[in-house]
């Protein structure tokens, strides 16, 4: 590596300073760690508006734009929610309780599962009908799941060490949440290299993590690939976590010269350190045929479009392939509603570097693609070739492909869909499955088998898998099985407030229909249209209030929060 253009002395000094603070973090008692989180939450709230506004400016719209709700959700609210999740678990431990309630750990169908959401009474109130289970790896018993949780605080602490977090450029909270995981779940101090795409967030993170910075437990560094590579190879950096692409991982581990591929083949890495990663892929949204009403088609079209258009598709689990039943009369009705929404949403741009070129490659492969909103929001309504660019490459932009699969019954369709998702699409990070409650009841075994067989780190059933990124109690990472030679969507889990080990995947569930229509579909809940939907009319106000509530819950704040949520 050419380090002549690097300020290596500054990087060395930074690493040395954080290294020198590693033992003091390891010695920080549980009560003080709790207090640090308690003091961090007000700092998140006091800087929330500025942090969200910075993201809106970078993406090209005003801070009061309807789109700005996503900058609150993926910024200050996600940070507050994850910090609150760690607080909940650490307070349990401090009170002499197990991290996970014994009633939440059970065996079902020969597998151990842990109910992780709702975790508090506030969760049940604010996200009524949303649930999450962590499925443990085969062979893990319920007792093992319980006793292995939160080893950092139960006589199995990690060794004092320095972790390098290579930040993501797309979603504001990613870097901050990875820092929290390294500090509180793994017991390591952190050097966080900001991504050049969103390094404008650094002053806000410096403020939020001010106490950690003052103690030398966290340091933020700017720079690009050269700085990241130098820090990754530094002898005083013990572990690495990266959010990005498989190319980023491979460049660090195997290099970029002409011998890189041979090194990978021979498993001779340039960098042989503990390395966790979250690297994206091509995420499917699978729609099971069923007895949908007109309202169902409208609502689920909003759901599908949200999974694509949030952050202009610059999300590692943005739905890229919509898998629909070829023989269902509802397929064209759903697509008609999706087209209507793509036309009606407020304009915005695909801002992430390289997006124009990636969308151009889709248009080159599909000159017939439907373009909504000045060439963005591409819809390819009938993909027939499994070598299609939308199937083989993560576009990371606002292009959605539609694949129709056969199946005269939901069970037949699901077999084809699961096989396609598992064996054709690259990546195992997140998938979404949409199924009507009456369909699931009538074909329970088929739906249960599909949920069990889909190899994804997070599977959302009637719920975009990205919600698992936000909640803090739901481990976030790729399905196990990748190796450094074939990295796929990455290795390891973060955002794991219960600090579970032996994780296979998280299964999220949400109501198929919002209240009160769930009474008709057999899926009753108190959940209105979720505020993360791009069609939520009062999302910005709702999420602002939700952020402040999450940081400091109070019954007094509930009426205004509920009123805003219901108006949306």
């Amino acid at each position: 590596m050419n380090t002549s253009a690097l300020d290596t002395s500054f990087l060395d000094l930074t690493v040395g300073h954080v290294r020198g603070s590693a033992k003091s973090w390891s010695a920080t008692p549980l009560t003080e760690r709790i207090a640090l989180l308690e003091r961090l939450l007000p700092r998140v709230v006091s800087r929330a508006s500025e942090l969200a506004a910075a993201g809106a400016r970078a993406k090209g719209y005003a801070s009061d734009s309807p789109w700005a709700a996503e900058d609150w959700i993926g910024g200050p609210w996600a940070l507050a929610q994850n910090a609150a999740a760690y607080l909940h678990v650490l307070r349990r431990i401090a009170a002499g309780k197990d991290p996970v309630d014994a009633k939440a750990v059970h065996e079902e169908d020969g597998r151990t599962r842990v109910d992780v959401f709702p975790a508090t009474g506030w969760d049940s109130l604010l996200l009524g009908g949303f649930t999450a289970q962590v499925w443990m790896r085969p062979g893990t018993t319920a007792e093992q799941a319980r006793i292995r949780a939160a080893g950092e605080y139960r006589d199995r602490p990690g060794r004092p060490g320095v972790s390098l977090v290579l930040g993501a450029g797309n979603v504001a909270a990613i870097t901050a949440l990875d820092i929290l995981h390294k500090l509180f779940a793994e017991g390591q101090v952190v050097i966080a290299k900001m991504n050049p795409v969103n390094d404008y967030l650094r002053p806000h993170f410096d403020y939020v993590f001010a106490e950690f910075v003052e103690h030398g437990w966290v340091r933020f560094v700017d720079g690009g690939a050269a700085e990241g590579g130098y820090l990754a190879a530094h002898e005083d950096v013990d572990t690495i976590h990266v959010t990005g692409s498989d190319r980023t991982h491979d460049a660090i581990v195997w290099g970029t010269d002409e011998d890189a591929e041979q090194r990978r083949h021979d498993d001779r890495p340039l960098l042989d350190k503990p390395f966790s990663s979250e690297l994206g892929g091509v995420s499917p949204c699978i729609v099971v045929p069923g007895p949908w009403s007109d309202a169902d088609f409208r609502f689920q079209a909003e759901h599908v479009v949200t999974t694509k258009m949030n952050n202009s598709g610059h999300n590692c689990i943005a739905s890229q392939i919509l898998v629909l039943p070829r023989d269902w009369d509802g397929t064209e009705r759903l697509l008609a509603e999706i087209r209507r929404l793509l036309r009606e949403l407020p304009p915005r741009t695909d801002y992430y570097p390289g997006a124009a070129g990636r969308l151009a490659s889709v248009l080159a492969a599909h000159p017939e693609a439907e373009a909504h909103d000045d060439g963005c929001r591409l819809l390819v309504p009938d993909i027939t070739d499994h070598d299609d660019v939308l199937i083989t490459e993560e576009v990371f932009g606002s292009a959605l492909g539609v694949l129709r699969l056969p199946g005269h019954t939901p069970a037949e369709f699901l077999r084809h869909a699961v096989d396609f998702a598992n064996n054709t699409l690259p990546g195992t990070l997140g998938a979404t499955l949409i199924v009507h409650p009456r369909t699931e009841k009538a074909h329970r075994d088929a739906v249960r088998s599909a949920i069990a067989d889909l190899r994804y780190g997070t599977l959302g059933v009637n719920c975009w898998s990205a919600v698992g990124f936000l909640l803090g109690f739901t481990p976030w990472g790729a399905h196990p099985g990748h190796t450094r030679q074939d990295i796929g969507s990455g290795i390891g889990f973060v955002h794991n407030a219960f600090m579970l080990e032996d994780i296979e995947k998280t299964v999220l569930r949400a109501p198929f229909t919002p209240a009160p229509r769930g009474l008709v579909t057999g899926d009753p809940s108190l959940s209105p249209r979720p505020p993360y939907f791009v069609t939520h009319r009062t999302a910005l106000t709702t999420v602002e209030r939700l952020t402040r509530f999450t940081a400091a819950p109070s019954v007094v704040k509930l009426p205004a929060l509920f009123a805003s949520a219901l108006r949306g």
Side-chain angles (χ1 to χ4, degrees):
M1 178 192 303
N2 179 11
T3 61
S4 59
L6 292 177
D7 185 354
T8 56
S9 60
F10 168 75
L11 296 177
D12 290 340
L13 187 65
T14 300
V15 173
H17 186 78
V18 177
R19 162 67 65 184
S21 303
K23 289 184 179 179
S24 69
W25 173 249
S26 295
T28 300
L30 175 59
T31 52
E32 178 57 19
R33 292 191 184 195
I34 290 172
L36 283 161
L37 284 172
E38 290 172 339
R39 294 192 294 268
L40 178 141
L41 280 166
R43 300 182 76 84
V44 173
V45 172
S46 65
R47 190 54 72 96
S49 295
E50 292 90 338
L51 194 156
R57 283 194 302 273
K59 298 177 189 179
Y61 47 77
S63 60
D64 60 353
S65 162
W67 293 115
E70 71 186 30
D71 299 296
W72 278 84
I73 294 169
W77 180 71
L79 181 48
Q81 172 65 22
N82 275 256
Y86 282 111
L87 259 179
H88 171 76
V89 177
L90 295 184
R91 284 169 174 164
R92 283 184 58 88
I93 297 170
K97 300 177 182 178
D98 287 339
V100 185
D101 193 302
K103 295 178 182 178
V105 186
H106 50 91
E107 295 186 11
E108 185 177 339
D109 297 331
R111 297 286 301 280
T112 297
R113 304 179 188 181
V114 183
D115 300 325
V116 296
F117 194 88
T120 71
W122 296 125
D123 294 336
S124 300
L125 194 61
L126 297 175
L127 286 172
F130 282 70
T131 64
Q133 274 189 341
V134 174
W135 291 32
M136 311 308 287
R137 296 194 191 197
T140 304
T141 67
E143 181 182 9
Q144 288 170 334
R146 289 194 301 270
I147 65 175
R148 291 177 184 174
E152 173 70 11
Y153 303 92
R154 303 171 82 194
D155 302 320
R156 298 189 314 279
R159 295 176 59 188
V162 176
S163 180
L164 171 65
V165 168
L166 296 172
N170 58 327
V171 176
I174 292 177
T175 302
L177 303 192
D178 292 341
I179 291 170
L180 288 178
H181 176 84
K182 285 294 183 180
L183 285 168
F184 288 94
E186 298 187 15
Q188 296 182 329
V189 292
V190 179
I191 298 170
K193 191 198 76 66
M194 300 297 296
N195 191 295
V197 177
N198 62 4
D199 56 12
Y200 55 83
L201 297 171
R202 178 179 174 172
H204 307 294
F205 289 162
D206 271 324
Y207 174 84
V208 169
F209 286 96
E211 280 197 84
F212 297 86
V213 172
E214 289 167 7
H215 285 88
W217 299 328
V218 174
R219 279 289 187 273
F220 293 95
V221 174
D222 294 329
E227 286 78 6
Y230 182 81
L231 289 168
H234 201 288
E235 63 180 1
D236 283 331
V237 168
D238 300 294
T239 69
I240 302 166
H241 179 77
V242 60
T243 302
S245 71
D246 55 355
R247 296 181 298 277
T248 301
H249 168 274
D250 289 349
I252 294 171
V253 174
W254 309 111
T256 57
D257 59 18
E258 60 185 11
D259 296 324
E261 188 56 39
Q262 188 63 48
R263 280 194 290 269
R264 178 162 65 170
H265 179 271
D266 298 339
D267 196 18
R268 293 184 291 106
L270 294 175
L271 190 73
D272 190 10
K273 298 179 180 183
F275 201 129
S276 57
S277 51
E278 188 261 85
L279 306 174
V282 176
S283 295
C285 178
I286 300 169
V287 178
V288 184
W292 291 23
S293 67
D294 290 344
D296 294 336
F297 282 106
R298 289 192 295 270
F299 181 77
Q300 292 302 338
E302 295 176 32
H303 186 186
V304 172
V305 170
T306 294
T307 71
K308 176 77 278 179
M309 282 305 302
N310 177 279
N311 203 26
S312 286
H314 306 315
N315 293 320
C316 50
I317 31 71
S319 293
Q320 185 164 306
I321 294 293
L322 180 60
V323 182
L324 295 176
R326 183 184 299 163
D327 304 311
W328 182 40
D329 59 4
T331 288
E332 294 306 324
R333 293 177 64 187
L334 179 60
L335 287 175
E337 289 291 338
I338 289 171
R339 290 185 177 98
R340 178 183 62 80
L341 286 168
L342 291 174
R343 291 192 300 267
E344 293 178 358
L345 286 173
R348 68 181 301 176
T349 59
D350 282 28
Y351 69 90
Y352 206 82
R358 293 189 296 273
L359 292 179
S361 70
V362 174
L363 282 171
H366 295 282
E368 77 290 355
E370 302 171 16
H372 305 275
D373 188 37
D374 298 331
C376 297
R377 304 183 192 173
L378 301 182
L379 180 67
V380 181
D382 195 4
I383 292 175
T384 57
D385 185 356
H386 284 193
D387 291 328
D388 193 284
V389 63
L390 280 166
I391 288 178
T392 61
E393 300 289 336
E394 183 180 9
V395 174
F396 212 65
S398 56
L400 179 65
V402 179
L403 182 81
R404 293 167 168 82
L405 292 178
H408 292 288
T409 67
E412 290 179 6
F413 168 76
L414 278 168
R415 283 196 294 271
H416 288 292
V418 170
D419 177 69
F420 168 75
N422 282 345
N423 300 315
T424 301
L425 292 180
T428 64
L429 186 61
T432 300
L433 179 69
I434 299 176
V435 55
H436 193 288
R438 291 206 291 271
T439 303
E440 182 169 4
K441 184 177 180 180
H443 301 272
R444 190 169 303 278
D445 288 344
V447 175
R448 182 181 297 168
S449 293
I451 292 171
D453 293 343
L454 281 163
R455 295 194 295 268
Y456 288 87
T458 298
L459 174 65
V461 181
N462 296 328
C463 175
W464 184 22
S465 59
V467 174
F469 165 83
L470 298 168
L471 295 180
F473 297 107
T474 43
W476 184 249
H479 194 277
H482 300 299
T483 67
R484 65 186 179 189
Q485 289 172 282
D486 184 14
I487 194 61
S489 289
I491 296 173
F493 288 89
V494 291
H495 312 183
N496 178 13
F498 286 112
M499 293 167 273
L500 299 169
E501 298 183 10
D502 308 307
I503 299 162
E504 181 183 79
K505 64 182 176 184
T506 299
V507 178
L508 288 158
R509 280 186 173 270
F512 177 79
T513 49
R517 283 198 304 109
L519 295 171
V520 177
T521 60
D523 193 24
S525 75
L526 297 177
S527 178
R529 175 185 282 104
Y532 60 84
F533 269 36
V534 294
T535 51
H536 197 288
R537 293 188 296 272
T538 59
L540 182 56
T541 300
T542 300
V543 181
E544 288 179 8
R545 293 174 178 174
L546 179 61
T547 300
R548 293 183 171 88
F549 180 92
T550 301
S554 169
V555 173
V556 175
K557 298 176 184 177
L558 287 175
L561 175 56
F562 285 157
S564 177
L566 291 170
R567 283 198 303 272

